[in-house]
Structure formats: structure tokens, C-alpha cells
Amino acid sequence: MSPDAQHSEDRVAQPLRSDAERNRGRILAAARRVFARDGLGASMASVAREAGVGIATIFRHFPTKEGLVAAVFADRMDAYADAVVVALEDPDPWHGFTVYIETACAMQAADQGFADVLTTNFPTAKAMEERRNEAIAGMVRLIDRAKATGRLREDFDTSDLVLLHMANAGVVSACGDSAPDAWRRVVALFIQSLEGPARGPLPASPDHDALHKAMRRTGPAGLTTPEPDTTS
Amino acid sequence: MSPDAQHSEDRVAQPLRSDAERNRGRILAAARRVFARDGLGASMASVAREAGVGIATIFRHFPTKEGLVAAVFADRMDAYADAVVVALEDPDPWHGFTVYIETACAMQAADQGFADVLTTNFPTAKAMEERRNEAIAGMVRLIDRAKATGRLREDFDTSDLVLLHMANAGVVSACGDSAPDAWRRVVALFIQSLEGPARGPLPASPDHDALHKAMRRTGPAGLTTPEPDTTS
């Protein structure tokens, strides 16, 4: 996977000098490992240590942590959005819907950093948010199709997918390496609960704006704020 | 609620002098507020600040954070175990089972500290673990009763309750004050997924020992280790 993915937010117009390019690649590879292990709460300093570069070098390439996160996870976000497209091509809308949920939850379980990305907003990382919005628009179609067959309960709301990701994050983060597949059972139960006809009414969905605000809160504090440059 | 609950782990044999008693009560009340807000990851130092006492005073009363946590949550753990007893008295086993789940999840949602308690082991806080074990033994009876009526799916496993608490913790912690009731919808979906006859098979439950190990991991690092006494 090229670290120079087209949508990297901080891509500069003129080619980087080759040692700068090497550093950039090294930083992205290191950040990918650190975020996958520790989530987006990991500090720029720990990425610098993992990459074997000074923290000033990181800030030269990525003035904000949000920019670094967007560059690291661009390809994951692409795969996430692509999974919706694949699901929409499934001739069985319910099957497409359930496979999509399993895929999205598996991506979340495989990478703590991407799990954080899924429940965090990125106000300044435009390409990232565009891909997410594409994915959401596709999901709305996916949900409508599955409801039309009667296999998905009528009262299912797009926000239920956000809630599922929050629930899955809880299981994945608590189980860690001790029970790495436990989330699959929770997701399977969740999918069965969505199968129509519903077995009973549900409490109302949370207000979408409130949930959006909740997502903002989920992100590690200071994600968009450059950390102080304490060392080089 | 008396801060001098009988099962406080660190209760000393002889009566405390009255100023020491006052300090102890103040520490417990402060710790209750801090843990409820920030979870068990909150530091002894932040409890000391909230209580308006030096950190040395806290360590004199509670040599370990685990001891403090056990004293603070003794009454919550009692209520948790009592909810199982109430559920077992319900003439409708399925109804008792579902009300119990809602009660336990509501307790978890109301208090971040207690939410952490539910997915953390306390190797040295014997009274706390005894109450938990009583609750678990009661739950096993509750599950057996509900299965016997056919309303609870046959493949339900006690570990599914642990997984539900992990999932609920994810929703509660992500939604915070922005969507404080969103967890109710997730729990309602989960309960409906448990209603027999099952709509399909499930992936196997995680190994119980592995899940127990996961619970141990869930606890904030160093919960049982006294923090360095940096100030008084």
C-alpha cells in the first residue's frame, strides 16, 4: 500500500526531496503500527520513537495529528466505503446488508486506530470525511433495499450502525488479545436482532445531531491540535 | 448511604478517631464523585484534590487503590447482586431475566466507575469478589429458568452477559452526555436477539478463562498498585 495515497491531506504540490520522502514513508508506516496497537490516543512522540525520527520531523510532514491520521487511514477508509459498494451489488439485499456489517465490524476489530476513526469526526480532513459521507449515503440505500424485502426490521435507523460500532469497540477493546474473536458473537446477535419482523418495539433512536456530537467527543482529546514541539 | 459500609475492605478493628473518620467519609464521597465521572482510571491524586486532603491522608486510609474502589462501590455491588435475587423471585422467568439485564445495564450506564467495576477483577478485594460470585451464581439460575421456558435461546451462555456489559460500556462511554439514553436501544436490541427460538446459529462463545483474563486486562493499569506518594 503506497504511503503516497492520492487523498493524503497534506500532499505537497512539488515533489519532496528523496530523503524527505523516505522520512514521510517511515513516519506513515510507524504511525500505522502505533495507531493499530494503541488507537488514535497514541502521541506524536510515540510515533516519532517508533519511526526513529525526531518529533520536529513529524510536525514538518504533518503539522496536525489529524493530518497524520487522515494520511495513515486513507486506504482503510477507501476499503470501508468500497465495502458498501460491494454490498449494494449483492442480488440479495439482506445478505448484502449483513455481510457489510460483518466486514465493517471486522475492519474495526482488526485495527484499534481504525476503530477510533470510525467513531471520530475529522472536521479538517476533507477527503476522509467525503469518503465517510459516500459510505453513509451508500448505507442509506443499503438499508432501504433491505427494508424493502422485509428482512430488515422497519424501525432500523442508520444511527443503529453507529451504535453497533460503539458497542463493538467496547467488546474489542475489553477483550483485546485474550478473546480476539468474541466480537463476532456480539455482532451475530445484533444482526439477528435486526431481522424482521421485529420481536417488539424499541426505545427511540438518539437524535442524530446528538450522536454526531457524541462522535466528536469520542475522539481522543486534542486530536486536531498540534502537540507542543518538545524535542527534535 | 453510609461510607462505613460493613464490607469496606480496609475497615480497621478499633474505632477511628473522629477527625480520621471525617476524613475517611470525605475521601469516600469524593472518590464516588470522581470515579462516577472519570471511571476507575482516575488517579488517587485527583481523588485527593476533590476531597481537599493530601494524598498521604488517602494512602493512610486506603493503602491501595483497589481497597478504595472496593469501599466506594460496596453498596453498588450489593445492589447489583440484589437485582439478581429480585429477578429470581419473578414468577415469569423470561420477564425476570430481561428486567435484570435492563437493571444491570442501567447501573452500568449511570456510573462510569461502576461500569469499570463490572468488567474488572479485584483479586485482593475479597468481599467485592464474593458479592460478584453470588451474583454470577444467581445469574446461572436465572438463565436456566429462562431457558426452561423456551423464551431464552438455548445457546445463550453466561459469558454473553459479560460481552453485553462490554458492548454497553462502549456505547455509554462513546455517547456520554450527548446521547445518554442511546444504550437503552442497544440493550433492547440485544434482549430481542436472545429471545427463542433463535433465528440462526452463533459463533462459539469465547473461552471463559480467556474472557476472565480479558476482564483482568480491562481494568486500568496499576489498579492494585499503590501510586507513588508524591505529595501530602
Side-chain angles (χ1 to χ4, degrees):
Chain A
M1 200 64 68
S2 160
D4 274 319
Q6 283 296 335
H7 22 240
S8 294
E9 307 283 332
D10 66 316
R11 191 177 173 86
V12 293
Q14 60 273 65
L16 294 170
R17 288 180 309 118
S18 66
D19 59 338
E21 258 177 63
R22 265 195 305 278
N23 271 344
R24 190 175 187 283
R26 195 189 292 177
I27 290 166
L28 283 170
R32 180 176 290 255
R33 288 192 297 275
V34 169
F35 290 144
R37 187 183 63 218
D38 302 333
L40 301 189
S43 68
M44 295 289 255
S46 64
V47 173
R49 269 195 304 278
E50 176 84 12
V53 303
I55 199 162
T57 306
I58 292 205
F59 280 114
R60 206 153 47 233
H61 287 275
F62 301 99
T64 67
K65 188 165 163 188
E66 186 173 351
L68 174 61
V69 168
V72 167
F73 291 105
D75 63 330
R76 296 275 78 197
M77 190 54 100
D78 285 349
Y80 180 73
D82 289 349
V84 182
V85 175
V86 169
L88 281 167
E89 287 165 358
D90 194 311
D92 176 345
W94 169 252
H95 183 259
F97 174 78
T98 60
V99 169
Y100 165 72
I101 288 185
E102 286 161 354
T103 304
C105 289
M107 289 181 66
Q108 184 186 21
D111 187 315
Q112 184 56 51
F114 190 64
D116 288 348
V117 166
L118 283 178
T119 51
T120 305
N121 288 316
F122 295 89
T124 66
K126 299 299 177 203
M128 189 96 144
E129 287 297 294
E130 269 169 34
R131 289 300 271 153
R132 192 212 297 273
N133 289 339
E134 279 173 40
I136 291 171
M139 273 182 246
V140 170
R141 289 200 300 281
L142 199 58
I143 290 165
D144 288 346
R145 266 169 35 112
K147 276 188 186 173
T149 66
R151 291 294 298 281
L152 175 59
R153 57 190 298 159
E154 255 311 309
D155 56 357
F156 183 81
D157 189 88
T158 46
S159 64
D160 290 323
L161 283 179
V162 178
L163 295 178
L164 170 61
H165 276 308
M166 290 171 168
N168 197 38
V171 176
V172 168
S173 122
C175 286
D177 296 335
S178 300
D181 288 323
W183 66 270
R184 293 184 188 278
R185 187 166 166 103
V186 176
V187 170
L189 282 166
F190 191 86
I191 288 173
Q192 290 184 20
S193 77
L194 302 182
E195 201 168 341
R199 277 177 164 155
L202 295 174
S205 286
D207 178 76
H208 284 209
D209 286 346
L211 202 61
H212 197 257
K213 199 170 147 220
M215 283 179 65
R216 209 177 293 277
R217 289 183 64 262
T218 307
L223 185 62
T224 62
T225 314
E227 290 169 58
D229 188 347
T230 50
T231 171
S232 59
Chain B
M1 203 63 70
S2 160
D4 275 319
Q6 283 297 336
H7 22 241
S8 294
E9 306 284 328
D10 65 318
R11 190 177 173 84
V12 293
Q14 61 273 66
L16 294 169
R17 287 181 309 119
S18 64
D19 59 337
E21 258 178 61
R22 266 195 304 277
N23 271 344
R24 190 175 187 282
R26 194 187 291 176
I27 292 165
L28 283 171
R32 180 176 290 254
R33 289 192 297 274
V34 170
F35 290 144
R37 187 182 64 217
D38 302 333
L40 300 189
S43 68
M44 295 289 253
S46 64
V47 173
R49 269 195 303 278
E50 175 85 11
V53 303
I55 199 162
T57 305
I58 293 206
F59 281 114
R60 206 154 45 235
H61 287 275
F62 301 99
T64 67
K65 187 166 164 187
E66 186 171 350
L68 174 61
V69 168
V72 167
F73 291 104
D75 63 331
R76 297 275 77 198
M77 190 53 100
D78 284 350
Y80 180 74
D82 289 348
V84 181
V85 175
V86 169
L88 282 167
E89 286 164 358
D90 194 312
D92 176 346
W94 169 251
H95 183 258
F97 175 78
T98 61
V99 169
Y100 165 73
I101 288 184
E102 285 160 355
T103 304
C105 289
M107 290 181 65
Q108 184 186 20
D111 187 314
Q112 184 55 52
F114 190 64
D116 288 349
V117 166
L118 284 178
T119 51
T120 305
N121 288 315
F122 296 90
T124 66
K126 299 299 178 203
M128 188 96 144
E129 287 298 294
E130 269 167 34
R131 290 301 271 154
R132 193 212 298 273
N133 289 340
E134 278 171 43
I136 292 171
M139 273 181 244
V140 170
R141 288 199 302 281
L142 199 59
I143 290 164
D144 288 346
R145 266 167 36 111
K147 276 189 187 173
T149 66
R151 291 292 298 282
L152 175 60
R153 56 190 299 159
E154 255 311 308
D155 56 357
F156 182 80
D157 189 87
T158 46
S159 63
D160 290 321
L161 283 179
V162 178
L163 295 178
L164 170 60
H165 277 307
M166 289 172 170
N168 196 38
V171 176
V172 169
S173 123
C175 286
D177 296 336
S178 300
D181 289 323
W183 64 270
R184 293 184 189 277
R185 188 167 165 102
V186 175
V187 170
L189 281 167
F190 191 86
I191 288 174
Q192 289 184 19
S193 77
L194 301 182
E195 201 169 340
R199 277 174 163 159
L202 295 174
S205 286
D207 178 77
H208 284 209
D209 287 345
L211 203 61
H212 197 257
K213 199 170 147 219
M215 284 179 65
R216 209 178 293 275
R217 289 183 64 261
T218 307
L223 185 62
T224 60
T225 315
E227 291 170 57
D229 188 346
T230 50
T231 172
S232 60

